[in-house]
Amino acid sequence: MALTGIQIFKLLPKTNCKECGVPTCLAFAMNLAAGKAELSACPYVSEEAKAMLSEASAPPIRPLAIGSGENVVRIGGETVLFRHEKTFVNKPGIAVLISDALPEAEVNSRLKKFKEFKYERVGLTLRPEMIAVKNESGDSQKFVTLINKVKSETDAALILMSQNAESLAEGVKVCADRVPLIYAATNGNSEALANLAKEHKCPLAVKADTFEALSQLSDKLTGTDLKDLVLDSGSRTVRKAFEDQIYIRRAALNQKNRSLGFPTIAFPCEMTNDPMKEALIAATFIAKYAGIVVLSNFYGESLFPLLVERLNIYTDPQRPMTMQQGIYPIGSPNENSPVLITTNFSLTYFIVSAEIEASRVPSWLLVMDTEGLSVLTAWAAGKFVGDAIGGFIKKSGITEKVKHRRVVIPGSVAAVSGDLEEELGKDWEVKIGPREAAHLTAYLKLGA
Ligand code: SF4
């Protein structure tokens, strides 16, 4: 049972030192009870109190990881119902279903799509991460062969699906190092699968058709010391499955219901045969509130929008998207190519770099860390001003790449040129570029 704010307060040091970021221990206790703060933010909690508060301070939805190496899918850990309240934490894993009853050509086609569908956007690589391997044939040898094939050809985080506990045991044996999700424990097989999950330290999906049954099963499994569970409410109509997602999220967050405090899995692949409808259903579950979304197949025209939707929803609304500070070569520049500078707000970078590309004038673009602020905002905040820009240019290493000493600054911050020249010294020439990035193409074509 979760503790109330007052109960937590009684266990805190009550010094109101403010080091946790709030003015009083009581405010911190209230935040902790609401899942809006982490116990580690208070450095003065005694070990004894820590032990007692561990349940209260645990995220209301347990975070867990599936997969290994560079492709680990982290799900759960959410603390809010709505993204604008704080942020969503762990984006849902997107999986494609591959059954051992499929013809080999179709298996190969899905694996090829899994490997090839990767997209660069705002400096990030968007891709699906998971493959759900389903034992539809009933033949455990076929299941194991398919798991081995998927494992050897991809880095996918795996979901092993079978109604047969023995087949699952055979399957887990060959890919335990990948930390697969075992799907799914039901009333009939929960003991066998709990033992399997514990033996191989794998997360376990739990499936039941009512919330009551789901809660009972999850309690039974956590009672055996199994901690990493994924919930499947069993609904396969869009409306009911959508309602279930909301009910589970609200129960975990608002009612502190630990039995339902786990990430969920949704199966749009079992809700329609129409690929476009399936994409729309998947989009719904990405928004609310699946931890894993399983698709029947990947199509570029629907996968890309789903990945972008996921990116947008799981981006912290309080932190602008940023590029890494550094030197970005655009179009194979050389030692005589122009040098331009801008800020590290992603959108600014993409507008500026697109204009440079359109000009076909190979250039060096310096991107300066302004904490994600755009040019004018960064200037107004004192982060994109002459001495700071000059300091960055000198440290950037650009002088090792070009013979000349000219830099083009955005025309909108022409006012910084004097200070910048002073900071850089007399060897440098500061050129004022166009006020609007849209005019950069013409500016470069005319010879920067
Ligand atoms: Fe209280 Fe700890 Fe916060 Fe200090 S850091 S105000 S002791 S909760």
Side-chain angles (χ1 to χ4, degrees):
M1 200 51 193
L3 299 179
T4 65
I6 298 296
Q7 286 169 320
I8 295 171
F9 173 66
K10 287 179 185 165
L11 298 167
L12 292 177
K14 302 184 201 69
T15 58
N16 297 337
C17 71
K18 303 184 179 60
E19 283 187 43
C20 54
V22 290
T24 62
C25 294
L26 182 59
F28 181 71
M30 292 302 173
N31 283 348
L32 205 57
K36 291 179 184 167
E38 289 183 14
L39 188 58
S40 56
C42 172
Y44 305 112
V45 189
S46 68
E47 288 304 317
E48 192 187 353
K50 260 186 208 165
M52 293 173 74
L53 288 170
S54 61
E55 189 192 0
S57 63
I61 296 176
R62 183 173 172 80
L64 59 92
I66 302 162
S68 62
E70 297 206 341
N71 189 24
V72 174
V73 177
R74 294 179 200 286
I75 56 175
E78 305 300 335
T79 56
V80 293
L81 279 172
F82 304 105
R83 175 182 175 269
H84 62 260
E85 291 177 68
K86 192 176 175 190
T87 181
F88 290 165
V89 182
N90 287 315
K91 61 185 193 293
I94 295 183
V96 65
L97 187 75
I98 302 184
S99 155
D100 61 3
L102 283 174
E104 195 177 347
E106 184 55 32
V107 171
N108 289 336
S109 157
R110 291 184 192 187
L111 290 176
K112 188 164 178 273
K113 288 183 196 171
F114 179 86
K115 287 182 276 187
E116 289 181 355
F117 284 164
K118 292 182 180 168
Y119 309 90
E120 295 299 322
R121 192 176 166 95
V122 290
L124 301 169
T125 303
L126 309 186
R127 56 165 291 193
E129 307 84 4
M130 307 188 80
I131 294 179
V133 185
K134 187 171 184 182
N135 178 216
E136 209 172 2
S137 67
D139 178 340
S140 58
Q141 193 46 52
K142 267 190 167 181
F143 187 44
V144 168
T145 304
L146 180 58
I147 293 168
N148 277 327
K149 183 178 173 72
V150 171
K151 191 182 162 192
S152 66
E153 291 189 23
T154 72
D155 65 348
L158 301 172
I159 305 167
L160 305 188
M161 301 176 67
S162 178
Q163 293 181 352
N164 183 331
E166 282 161 22
S167 295
L168 281 172
E170 293 295 315
V172 173
K173 242 189 250 168
V174 296
C175 66
D177 56 328
R178 282 277 182 98
V179 195
L181 171 66
I182 301 168
Y183 180 95
T186 58
N187 257 332
N189 65 9
S190 64
E191 269 175 39
L193 293 197
N195 290 337
L196 182 65
K198 272 193 279 186
E199 182 187 345
H200 294 283
K201 299 188 173 58
C202 293
L204 177 64
V206 184
K207 186 180 178 191
D209 288 338
T210 64
F211 294 124
E212 209 182 353
L214 198 58
S215 299
Q216 280 172 2
L217 200 47
S218 99
D219 286 347
K220 184 176 165 190
L221 291 164
T222 48
T224 68
D225 223 19
L226 204 57
K227 302 231 180 314
D228 291 341
L229 303 180
V230 174
L231 304 181
D232 177 1
S233 68
S235 302
R236 295 296 185 264
T237 64
V238 182
R239 178 177 176 160
K240 183 69 175 68
F242 179 63
E243 284 172 359
D244 290 356
Q245 292 290 337
I246 293 171
Y247 180 91
I248 291 171
R249 174 66 63 98
R250 285 187 180 166
L253 263 55
N254 294 349
Q255 295 151 24
K256 308 282 182 279
N257 182 335
R258 291 288 185 202
S259 309
L260 297 177
F262 299 96
T264 58
I265 185 167
F267 290 89
C269 59
E270 294 181 13
M271 297 180 195
T272 177
N273 291 322
D274 177 341
M276 201 43 73
K277 272 190 194 160
E278 189 182 322
L280 292 171
I281 296 167
T284 305
F285 290 116
I286 285 172
K288 283 182 186 292
Y289 289 111
I292 299 171
V293 176
V294 185
L295 300 171
S296 61
N297 205 340
F298 288 152
Y299 305 95
E301 65 272 25
S302 55
L303 180 63
F304 178 66
L306 289 175
L307 292 168
V308 173
E309 179 206 9
R310 184 178 71 167
L311 171 71
N312 289 336
I313 291 176
Y314 281 79
T315 298
D316 186 344
Q318 296 167 71
R319 291 181 55 202
M321 296 191 72
T322 58
M323 299 295 296
Q324 273 203 332
Q325 174 168 284
I327 304 171
Y328 289 76
I330 298 176
S332 309
N334 59 32
E335 58 191 16
N336 297 312
S337 300
V339 174
L340 301 94
I341 186 162
T342 191
T343 68
N344 76 330
F345 178 41
S346 287
L347 195 56
T348 301
Y349 168 81
F350 281 98
I351 291 170
V352 170
S353 60
E355 291 294 330
I356 297 173
E357 273 171 28
S359 75
R360 296 183 190 279
V361 177
S363 305
W364 301 99
L365 180 59
L366 298 182
V367 170
M368 181 175 155
D369 182 0
T370 54
E371 295 173 19
L373 299 179
S374 61
V375 171
L376 268 178
T377 317
W379 171 71
K383 295 181 192 299
F384 198 61
V385 291
D387 49 352
I389 298 173
F392 165 60
I393 291 173
K394 284 194 275 188
K395 279 193 288 181
S396 68
I398 191 65
T399 52
E400 288 155 30
K401 298 190 182 293
V402 293
K403 279 196 302 192
H404 65 79
R405 295 292 179 265
R406 286 186 308 280
V407 61
V408 180
I409 62 168
S412 52
V413 290
V416 308
S417 61
D419 287 346
L420 179 55
E421 278 170 339
E422 202 172 305
E423 179 68 28
L424 287 172
K426 60 181 171 34
D427 292 347
W428 280 83
E429 180 189 353
V430 176
K431 301 187 79 177
I432 313 288
R435 291 188 70 82
E436 304 290 335
H439 299 152
L440 203 50
T441 301
Y443 175 82
L444 286 168
K445 276 185 181 165
L446 290 171

